[in-house]
Amino acid sequence: MKPIRGLSVWSLHVPPVLVWVFSRYSALKEEGNVLFKVGDMQGAACCYTKALKLSGSQAESAVLHRNRAACYLRLEEYSKAESDASKALETDPGDMKARFRRAQAFQKLGRLDQAFLDVQRCAQLEPKNKAFQDLLRQLGAQIQHKVMLSQLNSTDARVQQMFSLLLDASAKESDRQKAAQNLVVLSREEAGAEQIFRNDGVKLIQKLLQSKQEEIVLSALRTLVGLCTGHQSRVSQLCAVMGSDVSTVSLAACHLLQVMFEALTEGMRREIRGKEEAILPEPSKELRSMLRHLLGMMPASNVSGPGRDSAINLLVKQVPRKSLKNPDNSLTLWVIDQGLKKILEVAGTVPELSEGLRLTDNSHMSCSVLLSKLYDDLKSDKERENFNKLCEEYVQQHFSRPGLDGKLRAIQTVSVLLQGPSDVGNRTLEMSGMMDAVISLCASEDVTHQQVAVEALIHAAGKAKRASFITANGVTLLKDLYKKSENDRIRVRALVGLCKLGSAGGTDFSMKQFAEGSTLKLAKQCRKWLCNESLPPTSRRWSVEGLAYLTFDADVKEDLVEDKNALQAMFELSEDKTVLFAVGSTLVNCTNSYEVEKPDPQLVELAKYAKQHVPEEHPKDAPSYVEKRLAKLLEAGVVSALVCMVKQESPALTEACRECIARVFLAVVERQEDRGTVVAQGGGKALIPLASDNTDVGKIKAAQALAKITITSNPEIAFPGERIYEVVRPLVSLLSLDCTLLQNFEALMALTNLAGINDRLRQKIIKEKAVPKIEGYMFEEHDLVRASATECMCNLVLSPEVQKLFLATGNDRLKLLVLYSGEEDERLRKAAAGTLAMLTAEQPQLYLQILRQCFKIVQALLLSEIPDLRHRGVVIVQNMMQAEKSLAESLMESEALEILSVLAKGGEDMPDPVSKIAQNCLDKAMEYGIIMSREGKEKCKGTEP
């Protein structure tokens, strides 16, 4: 039955009783709302109850039940609150208020799982609701605590059972071993660790460490790792265990000590388990006690080589400051005073001599890294002078002893110092008689004497003045050793010495120590040694050292990249920790990724006129040659080799080595078509740690490589999962005046891509304080940088935090966008207009400002011949018209009406979206009654007299 026009429903006959019921229901409901607002929960609940009896529909009853549930929550009658909220949800399952109130009631009733499900549903539908998120976090913590308590009860019996078996001497050995392994599993669980502490488990584990069975000792160590991770703990005899000849036991003990160090240095503010708070009242005292034990391992004869290396590695990781911004280097000073000479004992050890300390092939390299780290951590000339003095005293003490053993120890110590803190090494090398002793021992008939002396000679040729001295005094000797020695160890070292001297001119083509072609012959021999798998790894390692020097010569680079066997051998050998820097340096040379300062042409002419030396570049170092070398290295698998090098856990992976790897990565991602290959082979993942743990230059190189990958690859594929958020900080670090404009530009482009992915990434960019930097680059004179910064801002304005910046009073951000929308640079205009389009969609407060500031510019966008600009223009107009009628009236009074009419008709040069949006604008104007449709106009004409 159709309603009769002009007659309202209330004009029909309604029984007076129903009218009274409806008015009474409304009055009770309103009275309940008023009482609720003033805090009278009992009165409000009473009113809602009376109104429920008069409600005429399920929808009305649902609202009353929801309101009464809120009253019962305040009155702490949680069962009634849950019942009312459930009744409301039966009628309307989408009622978020009722569901949230039921979740609150469930929480108070202890029904946490049901509460979690309700509030999780609320949070999914309204993810930005702070109340929902807060309750979700509370419930998550309460559920976790409840689970832990239940686990504690069930775990206690299992822990007691394991302890009983381990303490029972009559139990089967296999059962005891299983019990020890089960204890490891339990220690990794929060509940299990708690019960082990409560049952005095640390004392039992200490007894197990004294067992003669390897499996029992390993299980005890692994249990302690589980207990100590992230917490403070105290365990005796660990250093002795780490010095064990059994490598698995030594590594397990090293892992445990590492965990303990981290707990002592970083975990003092964390929660302390069980009884440990009473055991360890002074972490700094305990830390120094552990360091004293580690230093004591250095000269101990009963410590294994791997154990001693582990102790050095721990000292490298824990003693020097992590950041020079931290003013406290007292731990380094303490280690130097208490243990520098003990460390030098390892540095001066010649394993081949009788009664020497047991070392590995990595020991001397690790020792040089530790000495370098300690020296670099010193803050003043006084501290450095003390370090020099202690080293000189140690070297002089051994050098002045009668017999050759002391002199060999002194020379070996100098070699290690030259590889580490080279300034200290050079000072000790200049001690009276030292260089003469090195030269004379090179001619010794004893292979060990020759080896020590030749290595010292190689390391001494580090500076140009030293190289020229050795060239004059030692080249003939090295040639004789290479040609006449019957020992491969001596020959390969002599060859490396010649390589280093032959490359003393670096990349300067005009400064060559040897005759033309000599370096090519040396390199050929190095490649031959490198590919000879029958040689010991130490000898092959030295051949890579030789190539690291010889590849300054472009002819050598060309030959090396053509030799696939040599490249493969070098990549395989890079698994050897001590050869990392040599491989990295070789690759830097082959890819020309070192810094080259191009002199000013006028200064070059002046230098020639004054007959000064002018560096010359090798013809084969031209970009075309470098590009071909990069292609061959990629084909040979250089990316996989670099990724493996980054994964090395060794002091040999120094910051200098990391910088080399970062430089090579930047070179191999230079070409856009190669970036997919780099990502596929794990290069993206490997670059992230290089951008955070590196030299200052290395960080920038790695960050720039990340930027290049992020620009051209899908970031979600290149950096899957949480890794994509780790890319933001390195990219923001490139927004610095210390970086080049190219690096700034690439960082802005990469951040633009990230900001367009999701809000969480935008929040990460904001958190890294990138927005003020990006705004600064919006004023850059360079067109591309200015446009890329505006593009980045265009994506960032999707974030409410950035929108607030444009809403702030007294700022000119909006004016800048308006001005840029009228610039000649097409890319800049698109970015600025796109930002305005997004802002007008998100922030209605901006419409009036935009109308005043950019009326003519919006018209210019609408009239633009560029489709993208027309599109942005009609979107801005549509947003403004939808905001309020007055804005629409102002627009329609201008030429915009005529322009929109033309755009709405479409045409060959009018994309469908533009025509559709223009028509939407006209439809909105008709809806407001500002303009009339064609039919309306015709009707108006028909009524005219």
Side-chain angles (χ1 to χ4, degrees):
M1 178 178 174
K2 294 182 179 180
I4 301 171
R5 183 176 297 173
L7 189 65
S8 71
V9 70
W10 292 106
S11 63
L12 299 174
H13 177 69
V14 179
V17 174
L18 291 180
V19 174
W20 178 85
V21 168
F22 182 79
S23 62
R24 179 62 177 158
Y25 160 79
S26 299
L28 285 169
K29 181 182 175 185
E30 185 60 32
E31 184 182 353
N33 293 342
V34 171
L35 290 172
F36 184 87
K37 288 178 181 178
V38 298
D40 185 358
M41 298 298 123
Q42 198 72 50
C46 185
C47 287
Y48 292 143
T49 303
K50 291 177 181 178
L52 273 167
K53 295 176 182 178
L54 301 174
S55 63
S57 68
Q58 287 186 336
E60 291 174 353
S61 296
V63 172
L64 290 168
H65 280 300
R66 182 183 71 193
N67 292 353
R68 195 169 67 174
C71 296
Y72 285 144
L73 280 173
R74 298 280 186 89
L75 293 169
E76 299 184 3
E77 297 183 29
Y78 302 120
S79 295
K80 292 181 179 180
E82 181 271 321
S83 177
D84 271 2
S86 295
K87 288 175 183 176
L89 287 170
E90 286 174 7
T91 302
D92 182 8
D95 189 338
M96 289 297 99
K97 289 183 179 180
R99 191 170 294 279
F100 182 61
R101 286 166 189 169
R102 188 171 74 169
Q104 291 175 302
F106 277 144
Q107 182 189 25
K108 296 298 183 181
L109 292 168
R111 294 155 69 177
L112 301 179
D113 292 343
Q114 291 171 286
F116 187 85
L117 290 174
D118 271 347
V119 77
Q120 187 180 48
R121 175 65 177 161
C122 293
Q124 286 172 348
L125 294 175
E126 294 184 26
K128 294 183 179 180
N129 190 306
K130 189 175 184 298
F132 295 168
Q133 295 295 339
D134 289 344
L135 184 57
L136 196 63
R137 280 192 288 271
Q138 288 177 25
L139 287 167
Q142 289 175 350
I143 290 170
Q144 187 177 5
H145 182 66
K146 185 177 178 181
V147 170
M148 181 179 170
L149 288 177
S150 63
Q151 285 179 341
L152 280 173
N153 295 329
S154 63
T155 305
D156 187 38
R158 291 158 60 197
V159 170
Q160 290 288 356
Q161 184 183 3
M162 297 307 109
F163 279 7
S164 299
L165 276 170
L166 288 167
L167 292 170
D168 186 1
S170 62
K172 290 182 181 179
E173 206 58 52
S174 58
D175 290 342
R176 294 185 75 214
Q177 287 182 4
K178 285 181 181 178
Q181 291 168 1
N182 289 338
L183 208 59
V184 175
V185 176
L186 287 168
S187 71
R188 292 172 182 169
E189 302 171 1
E190 190 71 20
E194 183 67 28
Q195 289 303 321
I196 291 171
F197 272 112
R198 287 183 179 181
N199 289 279
D200 256 351
V202 174
K203 289 183 180 179
L204 171 66
I205 295 166
Q206 287 177 316
K207 291 179 181 177
L208 297 179
L209 287 174
Q210 298 171 10
S211 172
K212 294 181 180 179
Q213 292 188 335
E214 181 183 338
E215 288 295 325
I216 296 289
V217 175
L218 276 173
S219 296
L221 288 167
R222 288 167 181 160
T223 302
L224 284 170
V225 169
L227 297 176
C228 298
T229 301
H231 299 270
Q232 297 179 14
S233 181
R234 183 180 184 179
V235 184
S236 62
Q237 299 179 344
L238 279 176
C239 289
V241 175
M242 192 168 69
S244 166
D245 285 319
V246 183
S247 59
T248 52
V249 173
S250 177
L251 287 172
C254 179
H255 182 200
L256 174 56
L257 279 168
Q258 175 69 30
V259 169
M260 292 169 65
F261 269 118
E262 289 173 355
L264 289 166
T265 55
E266 300 173 11
M268 287 184 280
R269 292 185 297 274
R270 298 178 186 172
E271 180 184 356
I272 301 172
R273 286 181 181 157
K275 303 177 182 179
E276 293 304 284
E277 188 171 13
I279 293 174
L280 190 58
E282 292 186 54
S284 60
K285 182 178 179 182
E286 180 68 15
L287 181 63
R288 296 195 179 195
S289 173
M290 292 173 65
L291 289 174
R292 190 176 285 108
H293 283 296
L294 288 178
L295 291 170
M297 291 177 67
M298 297 294 110
S301 59
N302 62 336
V303 175
S304 67
R308 188 172 279 104
D309 283 359
S310 296
I312 294 172
N313 295 353
L314 283 172
L315 289 168
V316 169
K317 289 178 182 178
Q318 301 302 328
V319 176
R321 292 171 290 171
K322 301 295 184 293
S323 170
L324 295 180
K325 293 179 181 178
N326 176 12
D328 183 15
N329 69 339
S330 57
L331 206 57
T332 295
L333 297 176
W334 184 85
V335 168
I336 290 171
D337 289 337
Q338 300 292 322
L340 180 58
K341 291 192 176 181
K342 294 176 181 177
I343 298 168
L344 292 174
E345 283 289 314
V346 181
T349 296
V350 181
E352 290 78 8
L353 296 179
S354 59
E355 300 181 2
L357 300 177
R358 289 184 287 176
L359 304 182
T360 68
D361 292 339
N362 303 323
S363 297
H364 281 145
M365 174 63 76
S366 299
C367 200
S368 68
V369 172
L370 173 58
L371 290 167
S372 181
K373 290 275 187 182
L374 292 173
Y375 187 75
D376 291 342
D377 200 36
L378 301 177
K379 296 189 295 183
S380 65
D381 290 342
K382 183 179 178 181
E383 291 174 357
R384 283 184 279 272
E385 186 58 35
N386 178 58
F387 190 99
N388 275 297
K389 182 182 176 183
L390 290 172
C391 291
E392 287 176 1
E393 286 176 356
Y394 178 85
V395 172
Q396 185 62 50
Q397 176 190 346
H398 286 283
F399 191 73
S400 59
R401 281 167 46 188
L404 282 178
D405 282 5
K407 288 182 172 53
L408 288 170
R409 285 188 67 85
I411 294 171
Q412 180 62 54
T413 306
V414 172
S415 281
V416 172
L417 287 169
L418 285 166
Q419 293 177 80
S422 56
D423 290 342
V424 182
N426 282 320
R427 277 186 59 164
T428 54
L429 191 66
E430 290 168 1
M431 292 170 60
S432 177
M434 183 64 69
M435 201 66 203
D436 293 333
V438 170
I439 296 292
S440 62
L441 282 173
C442 284
S444 172
E445 295 180 0
D446 187 292
V447 173
T448 300
H449 298 175
Q450 283 185 330
Q451 180 175 317
V452 172
V454 171
E455 287 184 12
L457 202 62
I458 294 169
H459 298 311
K463 294 184 178 180
K465 63 177 183 179
R466 184 66 61 188
S468 59
F469 167 79
I470 297 172
T471 302
N473 296 277
V475 168
T476 304
L477 188 59
L478 288 172
K479 285 181 178 178
D480 288 342
L481 286 171
Y482 172 66
K483 292 177 180 177
K484 298 176 181 178
S485 177
E486 297 179 0
N487 189 288
D488 289 342
R489 290 186 300 166
I490 303 302
R491 292 190 68 212
V492 72
R493 284 165 174 78
L495 176 62
V496 172
L498 291 170
C499 292
K500 190 168 185 178
L501 295 170
S503 62
T507 57
D508 187 351
F509 183 50
S510 63
M511 283 187 65
K512 298 299 174 185
Q513 299 285 339
F514 296 153
E516 185 70 28
S518 297
T519 52
L520 283 173
K521 292 178 182 177
L522 292 171
K524 184 178 180 181
Q525 186 59 42
C526 281
R527 297 202 309 274
K528 182 179 177 182
W529 283 86
L530 179 60
C531 296
N532 189 349
E533 295 183 1
S534 62
L535 292 174
T538 49
S539 297
R540 296 177 67 203
R541 183 178 71 215
W542 278 100
S543 63
V544 183
E545 292 275 352
L547 288 172
Y549 298 120
L550 293 175
T551 45
F552 284 122
D553 189 325
D555 288 319
V556 175
K557 302 175 194 180
E558 290 292 314
D559 283 359
L560 177 59
V561 296
E562 293 290 347
D563 191 340
K564 290 186 178 180
N565 291 332
L567 289 176
Q568 289 295 332
M570 184 173 69
F571 295 158
E572 290 172 9
L573 201 62
S574 65
E575 296 178 8
D576 182 346
K577 298 172 184 177
T578 58
V579 81
L580 290 175
F581 185 71
V583 173
S585 299
T586 303
L587 292 173
V588 166
N589 292 339
C590 288
T591 57
N592 281 38
S593 48
Y594 42 73
E595 302 293 344
V596 179
E597 290 187 12
K598 293 188 177 180
D600 187 289
Q602 292 182 345
L603 293 177
V604 171
E605 292 301 320
L606 282 173
K608 288 179 179 178
Y609 180 76
K611 297 184 179 180
Q612 297 292 321
H613 173 70
V614 179
E616 296 179 21
E617 186 181 60
H618 197 292
K620 291 183 180 178
D621 275 331
S624 58
Y625 282 91
V626 176
E627 190 173 315
K628 290 176 184 176
R629 289 202 292 267
L630 281 166
K632 289 172 183 174
L633 286 170
L634 280 166
E635 186 181 344
V638 68
V639 176
S640 297
L642 292 172
V643 171
C644 291
M645 289 167 71
V646 173
K647 291 179 180 178
Q648 289 276 9
E649 284 290 335
S650 166
L653 188 62
T654 59
E655 287 189 343
C657 185
R658 287 174 177 273
E659 182 184 317
C660 289
I661 298 171
R663 287 178 179 276
V664 180
F665 263 126
L666 180 57
V668 296
V669 299
E670 186 62 38
R671 292 200 315 165
Q672 184 174 332
E673 55 267 35
D674 295 331
R675 293 170 194 172
T677 303
V678 174
V679 170
Q681 295 179 11
K685 178 182 177 182
L687 277 165
I688 294 174
L690 290 175
S692 58
D693 183 10
N694 213 321
T695 62
D696 291 340
V697 173
K699 288 176 183 178
I700 291 173
K701 300 293 182 185
Q704 190 178 4
L706 285 170
K708 288 179 183 290
I709 290 172
T710 309
I711 290 169
T712 54
S713 305
N714 182 345
E716 293 176 288
I717 296 174
F719 312 104
E722 293 296 305
R723 199 168 292 134
I724 192 171
Y725 301 98
E726 298 177 41
V727 179
V728 174
R729 182 172 293 175
L731 295 179
V732 174
S733 70
L734 292 177
L735 301 181
S736 167
L737 295 176
D738 296 330
C739 298
T740 64
L741 269 182
L742 175 62
Q743 290 164 345
N744 299 153
F745 170 70
E746 290 177 335
L748 290 166
M749 291 283 288
L751 288 169
T752 301
N753 283 356
L754 293 179
I757 293 174
N758 59 44
D759 190 58
R760 189 179 166 197
L761 272 168
R762 287 190 286 274
Q763 289 300 317
K764 177 67 174 173
I765 294 170
I766 295 167
K767 187 178 178 182
E768 293 296 335
K769 300 179 180 179
V771 175
K773 297 179 181 180
I774 294 166
E775 285 188 312
Y777 285 104
M778 289 175 70
F779 293 93
E780 177 61 50
E781 291 183 7
H782 196 286
D783 291 343
L784 285 175
V785 176
R786 184 170 64 246
S788 61
T790 310
E791 287 171 344
C792 191
M793 186 59 69
C794 182
N795 283 347
L796 285 174
V797 293
L798 291 169
S799 171
E801 289 184 43
V802 179
Q803 292 167 19
K804 289 177 183 176
L805 297 176
F806 286 86
L807 290 171
T809 56
N811 76 87
D812 293 328
R813 293 183 176 90
L814 193 63
K815 187 182 292 184
L816 181 67
L817 290 175
V818 171
L819 291 172
Y820 281 176
S821 297
E823 286 285 321
E824 293 182 3
D825 183 357
E826 181 182 330
R827 182 172 176 177
L828 180 60
R829 289 183 72 193
K830 286 180 180 179
T835 310
L836 283 175
M838 289 187 180
L839 279 170
T840 52
E842 298 291 335
Q843 294 295 337
Q845 300 94 317
L846 293 172
Y847 295 125
L848 197 56
Q849 295 182 48
I850 291 175
L851 184 64
R852 283 198 297 262
Q853 295 182 25
C854 67
F855 194 71
K856 292 183 179 179
I857 290 177
V858 170
Q859 285 189 4
L861 291 173
L862 293 172
L863 293 169
S864 174
E865 296 179 358
I866 302 168
D868 286 342
L869 288 175
R870 279 202 303 272
H871 187 203
R872 286 160 172 77
V874 293
V875 169
I876 293 171
V877 171
Q878 178 180 244
N879 292 338
M880 294 169 71
M881 293 192 68
Q882 289 176 347
E884 58 179 75
K885 186 177 179 180
S886 61
L887 287 174
E889 289 174 343
S890 299
L891 282 166
M892 292 302 103
E893 288 171 1
S894 68
E895 296 175 2
L897 173 60
E898 185 178 347
I899 299 170
L900 289 170
S901 300
V902 174
L903 292 176
K905 291 178 183 179
E908 293 182 1
D909 62 337
M910 297 289 178
D912 289 340
V914 173
S915 303
K916 186 176 180 181
I917 296 170
Q919 185 60 54
N920 290 342
C921 293
L922 295 174
D923 292 343
K924 193 67 180 178
M926 285 187 281
E927 182 184 326
Y928 284 142
I930 301 170
I931 61 174
M932 297 178 66
S933 64
R934 184 177 299 173
E935 292 81 359
K937 289 179 180 179
E938 290 175 355
K939 286 180 181 178
C940 290
K941 288 178 181 178
T943 59
E944 291 178 0

